[in-house]
Amino acid sequence: MMNLNMVAPPEQSNMRILVTGGAGFIGSHLVDKLMENEKNEVIVVDNYFTGSKDNLRKWIGHPRFELIRHDVTEPLLVEVDQIYHLACPASPIFYKHNPVKTIKTNVIGTLNMLGLAKRVGARILLTSTSEVYGDPLIHPQPETYWGNVNPIGVRSCYDEGKRVAETLMFDYHRQHGIEIRIARIFNTYGPRMNIDDGRVVSNFIAQALRGEPLTVQKPGTQTRSFCFVSDMVDGLIRLMEGENTGPINIGNPGEFTMLELAETVKELINPKVEIKMVENTPDDPRQRKPDITKAKELLGWEPKVKLRDGLPLMEEDFRLRLGVSKEN
Ligand SMILES: NC(=O)c1ccc[n+]([C@@H]2O[C@H](COP(=O)([O-])OP(=O)(O)OC[C@H]3O[C@@H](n4cnc5c(N)ncnc54)[C@H](O)[C@@H]3O)[C@@H](O)[C@H]2O)c1
Ligand SMILES: O=c1ccn([C@@H]2O[C@H](COP(=O)(O)OP(=O)(O)O[C@H]3OC[C@@H](O)[C@H](O)[C@H]3O)[C@@H](O)[C@H]2O)c(=O)[nH]1
């Protein structure tokens, strides 16, 4: 007869997880973390618009990992338990490059992933954005703020696209009972960002290493709050595993003007480099800082990595990829 005291505790059941946009910057770090758990099987779908297989090279061929070239604007059928839906270009230069495609990715892509979640009974997490607050009139931004967004501007394909994606998530939740999670991500940086991604932290680090002027877009007093990618991944997993639908802001409340960021990069990476003021693009938000009270209370999450500690980690990765050693 079996001695119940000797029965092993029930094993955590296997989890099959889909990561759309998993070949991109945040997605590939998320995959690394999910793959650390031996109970997880991870499937990535990506169309490689801004992502690359290179970001996932250590997992290609691994028995718990699959990589599929697929565009989320087309339907997909895979049997999964969870969907992290990240697929969407995130850098303004890339999302403005083909705005119609960006809005299709946000709207049709999210509809397709919600349809999949409904069909297979999966929980789905959307990576929304601080851009849903537009050029915010309330500072810092709590999740209850409805935003100040230009519906017909050059950024609308992205910010209005993400707002519709959030609406779709809640309508599927209310109408079909789908389990949803929404993260509003604030500017995130770290190793593996595309060198010519166009976002401010990657631009300044690449420029400092190449000895080129740091291009501060006018007026330079606009602010952003920068979150290191390991903190972001930790927040996303906590949100997926927790009980709250969100939306929940995930970001680092440390707020910097773009001139302060340029001065910090200059001081840490290349004190000889110049800072040059250049023209800005339309509708650039003047200030941005997350209120993370909800993330603290509901997820027990707050960022750990300060900007001054995160920048050198990114510098190391950029030096390797650009072939610029410390002595140069
Ligand atoms: N990094 C940030 O600061 C930030 C801030 C707010 C929100 N987000 C959101 O987080 C997500 C990931 O951002 P990231 O910084 O890693 O960007 P990224 O550009 O590095 O990654 C996006 C990935 O999605 C893929 N993709 C784009 N369109 C696709 C499509 N139609 N079908 C399939 N794959 C597609 C790209 O090839 C890429 O691999 C995005 O949804 C973005 O909107 C990021
Ligand atoms: O070379 C540069 C690039 C950018 N900037 C400035 O830096 C600030 C940040 O610009 P980024 O291009 O990095 O990104 P933004 O903050 O405008 O948008 C980002 O934030 C939220 C996310 O959803 C997106 O990933 C991205 O759109 C802006 O004020 C911009 O004018 C510079 O001063 N110099």
Side-chain angles (χ1 to χ4, degrees):
M1 201 174 151
M2 199 180 351
N3 176 350
L4 285 179
N5 292 329
M6 294 184 64
V7 174
E11 298 222 329
Q12 182 205 329
S13 58
N14 287 0
M15 186 70 85
R16 194 173 299 144
I17 305 171
L18 174 65
V19 181
T20 76
F25 160 54
I26 300 179
S28 62
H29 285 279
L30 174 65
V31 169
D32 289 351
K33 192 73 193 173
L34 294 172
M35 286 293 292
E36 277 176 18
N37 182 341
E38 293 192 353
K39 297 286 176 190
N40 289 341
E41 280 178 36
V42 176
I43 302 176
V44 165
V45 303
D46 205 293
N47 70 351
Y48 307 124
F49 175 47
T50 51
S52 141
K53 279 186 199 167
D54 213 36
N55 288 336
L56 296 167
R57 63 178 178 272
K58 72 173 167 197
W59 303 119
I60 292 172
H62 192 288
R64 290 187 287 109
F65 179 76
E66 265 174 80
L67 177 57
I68 305 171
R69 178 192 288 268
H70 177 82
D71 192 308
V72 292
T73 58
E74 301 294 334
L76 175 75
L77 178 57
V78 283
E79 295 290 334
V80 291
D81 305 295
Q82 291 184 341
I83 303 170
Y84 285 90
H85 178 39
L86 281 71
C88 178
S91 167
I93 57 167
F94 288 110
Y95 71 61
K96 290 191 266 190
H97 169 75
N98 184 346
V100 173
K101 179 68 197 230
T102 300
I103 198 144
K104 280 186 181 169
T105 298
N106 277 315
V107 179
I108 302 172
T110 304
L111 262 175
N112 282 333
M113 292 309 112
L114 281 161
L116 174 66
K118 179 173 170 235
R119 185 164 175 182
V120 301
R123 180 179 291 183
I124 178 168
L125 179 149
L126 170 75
T127 51
S128 184
T129 169
S130 52
E131 293 221 18
V132 299
Y133 302 121
D135 189 8
L137 305 176
I138 289 186
H139 195 73
Q141 294 80 53
E143 292 83 352
T144 45
Y145 179 47
W146 289 356
N148 177 36
V149 175
N150 175 357
I152 55 165
V154 291
R155 297 176 87 103
S156 315
C157 58
Y158 184 77
D159 50 30
E160 292 287 22
K162 290 281 188 183
R163 286 166 69 97
V164 175
E166 289 197 12
T167 308
L168 287 168
M169 293 281 287
F170 267 92
D171 282 339
Y172 267 75
H173 174 60
R174 286 185 287 249
Q175 196 174 332
H176 299 300
I178 302 298
E179 285 191 55
I180 60 158
R181 303 287 182 265
I182 297 178
R184 290 192 180 146
I185 299 183
F186 283 65
N187 296 55
T188 302
Y189 70 101
R192 280 193 208 145
M193 283 185 93
N194 282 326
I195 302 226
D196 296 307
D197 180 273
R199 282 179 276 184
V200 68
V201 182
S202 47
N203 271 9
F204 286 178
I205 293 187
Q207 288 162 341
L209 293 176
R210 287 169 170 152
E212 295 167 358
L214 309 187
T215 53
V216 174
Q217 293 175 351
K218 290 176 191 168
T221 48
Q222 70 272 35
T223 66
R224 293 293 187 274
S225 304
F226 299 102
C227 184
F228 193 68
V229 67
S230 55
D231 283 332
M232 180 54 57
V233 164
D234 178 33
L236 294 177
I237 293 176
R238 278 172 192 249
L239 176 59
M240 177 65 106
E241 297 301 333
E243 295 308 315
N244 295 279
T245 58
I248 297 194
N249 290 336
I250 306 193
N252 190 321
E255 184 185 10
F256 300 85
T257 68
M258 293 312 100
L259 269 167
E260 283 168 344
L261 176 68
E263 294 291 356
T264 310
V265 168
K266 179 176 162 128
E267 178 203 321
L268 294 176
I269 300 180
N270 184 356
K272 289 190 214 127
V273 88
E274 247 187 88
I275 293 177
K276 183 173 145 195
M277 300 304 294
V278 299
E279 283 313 310
N280 206 335
T281 52
D283 292 342
D284 185 40
R286 279 164 292 182
Q287 52 181 359
R288 206 185 265 164
K289 171 181 171 157
D291 177 334
I292 60 163
T293 312
K294 245 179 126 176
K296 282 186 185 161
E297 282 175 12
L298 300 176
L299 308 180
W301 177 89
E302 66 183 312
K304 299 193 181 90
V305 184
K306 292 195 190 77
L307 185 65
R308 280 183 169 272
D309 300 326
L311 288 175
L313 302 172
M314 192 163 161
E315 175 193 353
E316 221 177 279
D317 169 64
F318 269 46
R319 277 191 190 280
L320 276 175
R321 287 193 283 152
L322 285 168
V324 180
S325 61
K326 199 87 181 166
E327 306 74 60
N328 290 349

